[in-house]
Amino acid sequence: MKKSVTFRNKKNTVSFQLETKTMLMLGLLVFFVLLACITGPSLGNKLISPLEVVKTIVGQGTGGNEFIVMQSRLPRTLVSLLVGAALGISGLILQGIVRNPLAAPDIIGVTGGASVFAVAFLTYLAGSVSIGWMPAAAITGALIVSVFIYTMAWKNGVTPIRLVLIGIGISAIMSALTTFMIVVSSAVTASQAYLWLTGSIYGASWEDVYTMSVLVLILTPLALIFSRSLNSQQLGDEVALGVGVRVQKDRFILLGISVVLAGAAVAAVGAIGFVGLIAPHIARTLVGRTFGSLAAASALTGGLLLFMADLTARTIFYPIDIPAGVFTAGVGAPFFLYLLFKNRNQF
Amino acid sequence: MTQSFSKIKRKFMVLILLFALFGLAFIASIVFGQTPVSFQEALSSFTNYNEESTEHIIIQTDRLPRAIIGTVIGASLAIAGALMQALTKNPLASPSIFGINHGAIFFVVVGVVFFSISSLIHLTGLAFLGAAVAAFIVYFLGSLGRNGLTPIKIVLAGAAISALFQSYTQAMLVLNETGLQDVLFWLAGSISGRTLDMLVPVLPFIGIAMMVAMFMGKAINLMTTGDDIAKGMGQNVVLVKGLMGILVVLLAGSSVAVVGSVGFIGLVIPHIARFFAGNDYRWVIPFSALLGAVLLIAADVLARILIMPQEVPLGVMTALVGGPFFVYLARRGVSKL
């Protein structure tokens, strides 16, 4: 088998090369995602045979099973896959920009900003404005806070370490603000808001599926286009400038993509930690370090990670629905410590 | 060490000033609140207590315990922070950054949920254990690698350990929903509704730890000059460091057991204390104690009157003050100190 396949149009204006191994890996991941779409709806308190799930999805379902699959389990599965994908790409881009394997939207405070705005929206506007605007609120929050973090970290340029440290500080402020609003508001009861903050996919609806899929489908190709620039940026700003990359402009757009994806994820399911951190690392061991294939692999791995976390969370202690965020943190935090140990000489 | 007389005099002046400030804060804490009480009235509740008077009851059963708890906890958190910053030679070290708060909370919640422990003394023991476990892990992870104990490694390890313990705590609380409401306020940190009964079991630990810390100033000064010099001067460095570690665990663990997760006091205060006292820990520690008490009481008063009739959790207040300070320190550059 050839090691790679090259595509080139006749005029040589477009050309790209795909490695066979990478393509196989991505194919495998896609296969697992499809598998998830069937196993997700079929597993639960009431087992539904995979065949019946497939039948229901293509529109030939019957009775109670159809309701369970179409109204509850399928949207939930899809939302977990989409949110995981969004977080995976978001984390990958951040790690690429700050050239630091420990960066992720939840660690540097982006998720915190989105949470503050989402809770503010729920508390102060939910009565008068349609809930459909909540993603917009969360994304706005994520954008504002990340611009703020970036400005605060700017001092003759932004060093990764300062960005992460300041992000952790801002995270603390944001979580204080969120707690404050929850305690003060009577609109959301404390335990509800607590669940939401931990990140739970419990109430996933088709609305969430549509919002998330639109965003993921628009922003992923955009991320792929800019992945070339990200590749060059890994060599350092000077080299990237030397090979003709508009470093600052591209970095700004990439950061925007990452932040919007993270904000949308928060709006859909609350603050789910560590998926954005882990997914890119798993993806890197699967497909190597080229950002194009890495973006696709991160999205798929992120989706699968969150899907498995949510599946475990909703089945293992049935009928109690544990927030998926508890699982991702329980697995993710030790992984983070492992990364810290591995990179111990860098800091 | 010979210091010029005027320098010592200046430090005594600062000390007196801090005492005055503390007195003011204490009085404010007794006077301000949902039911404002005049100073005379407050005084008379001590001199001739009247069971009929609502003001007197509020002061004696709510405000006074709060002010006392605030004083003790604020002072212990600040001393713990000062000791940690000296021990790790790291300006960002403090109980909350080290993950001590969430470690202690996790152990306490395990005790409550799985072993139905309700006696305060046992819960305090669990809080010590959790504080010690979290502090040890973060210290260990932070000191690995070629560059030794760097601020960034400590902060990252602390953040990860916090997230880990937090997630396990959340899982347990979701599985046992009973009492989530109570625990939630406690997780956010609060001294409202705390009675002196809760302070009493930890008071001996805090008292002894504070006394020892006050007398360790000279040894700490020597230790901060570097291990080699300190050894050369005949100090048992391991003993001093070990003792400091124990003091930190006692002070921070007790604090969490009483008020829950209140962050940033231990981070901010030692910096202010060093501003007045330089790096002389014979002064930094008493200054920290007073300033910590003042800050905690002031934050509590604000928490009470900011959104009356409700209350802001104390941990939220301190995070809103301390978070920006952390960002400022990170921006200024953490390689100093």
Side-chain angles (χ1 to χ4, degrees), chain A residues 102 107 151-155 161-162 164-166 168-170 172-173 175-177 179-180 182-185 190-191 194-195 197-198 274 317 320-323 325-326 329-331 333-334 336-337 340-341 344-347, chain B residues 92 137 141 144-148 150-153 155-157 159-161 163-164 167-171 173-175 180-181 184-185 187-188 264 307 310-313 315-316 319-320 323-324 326-327 330-334:
Chain A
L102 297 174
I107 290 163
T151 339
M152 291 307 293
W154 185 277
K155 198 177 172 185
I161 287 182
R162 196 160 50 224
V164 172
L165 276 179
I166 284 179
I168 287 179
I170 305 267
I173 302 173
S175 89
L177 283 175
T179 318
F180 173 72
I182 290 174
V183 172
V184 173
S185 81
S191 54
Y194 193 62
L195 275 182
L197 275 185
T198 322
F274 291 103
F317 289 109
I320 298 171
D321 215 313
I322 298 184
V326 166
V331 178
F336 183 87
L337 292 174
L340 192 64
F341 174 73
R344 63 190 178 279
N345 290 328
Q346 275 182 28
F347 297 109
Chain B
L92 292 177
I137 298 176
L141 282 168
L144 290 171
R146 223 180 294 135
N147 305 324
T150 59
I152 178 88
K153 262 188 296 186
V155 172
L156 288 175
I161 287 291
L164 187 64
S167 80
Y168 293 154
T169 309
Q170 276 165 345
L173 290 177
V174 172
L175 288 174
L180 174 70
Q181 200 82 27
L184 190 65
F185 213 72
L187 288 177
F264 291 104
I307 50 159
Q310 280 173 299
E311 275 196 29
V312 184
V316 169
L320 290 181
F326 180 93
V327 171
R331 207 179 135 72
R332 200 186 60 178
V334 288

Side-chain angles (χ1 to χ4, degrees), chain B residues 66 78 116 140 174 210 257 263 279 281 305:
Chain B
R66 261 179 107 145
S116 318
F140 175 71
V174 172
M210 276 189 188
N279 274 327
Y281 276 84
I305 60 179

Side-chain angles (χ1 to χ4, degrees), chain A residues 14-317:
Chain A
V14 177
S15 82
F16 56 94
Q17 194 175 42
L18 297 172
E19 278 180 47
T20 324
K21 191 189 144 211
T22 308
M23 291 320 287
L24 278 175
M25 226 25 128
L26 287 179
L28 203 64
L29 284 172
V30 170
F31 171 72
F32 278 126
V33 166
L34 291 176
L35 206 62
C37 289
I38 296 169
T39 48
S42 100
L43 292 174
N45 182 40
K46 183 172 193 283
L47 285 176
I48 299 173
S49 79
L51 195 67
E52 192 143 346
V53 172
V54 177
K55 265 188 186 169
T56 315
I57 293 175
V58 297
Q60 297 185 337
T62 46
N65 284 350
E66 186 185 2
F67 182 80
I68 295 178
V69 170
M70 295 309 284
Q71 294 308 314
S72 159
R73 291 189 193 161
L74 186 60
R76 192 167 174 166
T77 306
L78 292 177
V79 165
S80 65
L81 288 168
L82 286 165
V83 167
L87 289 173
I89 298 180
S90 177
L92 174 73
I93 293 178
L94 278 181
Q95 290 174 7
I97 292 176
V98 305
R99 292 182 216 120
N100 185 327
L102 297 174
D106 45 314
I107 290 163
I108 70 159
V110 176
T111 313
S115 301
V116 169
F117 274 65
V119 172
F121 181 86
L122 284 176
T123 318
Y124 299 114
L125 293 174
S128 49
V129 186
S130 151
I131 192 82
W133 286 99
M134 183 152 130
I139 291 170
T140 317
L143 283 171
I144 291 176
V145 171
S146 40
V147 167
F148 185 64
I149 295 170
Y150 209 79
T151 339
M152 291 307 293
W154 185 277
K155 198 177 172 185
N156 302 324
V158 169
T159 65
I161 287 182
R162 196 160 50 224
L163 189 70
V164 172
L165 276 179
I166 284 179
I168 287 179
I170 305 267
S171 284
I173 302 173
M174 292 304 145
S175 89
L177 283 175
T178 320
T179 318
F180 173 72
M181 277 187 289
I182 290 174
V183 172
V184 173
S185 81
S186 51
V188 225
T189 69
S191 54
Q192 256 182 326
Y194 193 62
L195 275 182
W196 186 83
L197 275 185
T198 322
S200 171
I201 316 181
Y202 179 69
S205 67
W206 283 103
E207 303 259 305
D208 297 327
V209 177
Y210 299 141
T211 323
M212 283 311 294
S213 46
V214 168
L215 282 169
V216 169
L217 289 180
I218 294 175
L219 292 175
T220 312
L222 208 58
L224 286 175
I225 293 172
F226 279 95
S227 60
R228 275 177 39 158
S229 161
L230 212 45
N231 279 332
S232 327
Q233 284 182 35
Q234 296 316 297
L235 306 169
D237 286 3
E238 287 83 5
V239 178
L241 278 170
V243 298
V245 173
R246 301 156 304 175
V247 173
Q248 294 300 337
K249 197 178 158 198
D250 287 2
R251 187 173 287 164
F252 189 72
I253 297 173
L254 280 161
L255 194 63
I257 298 173
S258 164
V259 166
V260 169
L261 284 170
V266 169
V269 300
I272 288 197
F274 291 103
V275 173
L277 176 85
I278 308 179
H281 286 278
I282 299 180
R284 227 166 269 141
T285 58
L286 294 178
V287 300
R289 295 184 164 269
T290 322
F291 272 92
S293 41
L294 201 49
S298 293
L300 294 166
T301 338
L304 285 169
L305 273 177
L306 191 54
F307 165 74
M308 285 189 289
D310 183 50
L311 187 66
T312 325
R314 74 181 163 90
T315 51
I316 196 163
F317 289 109

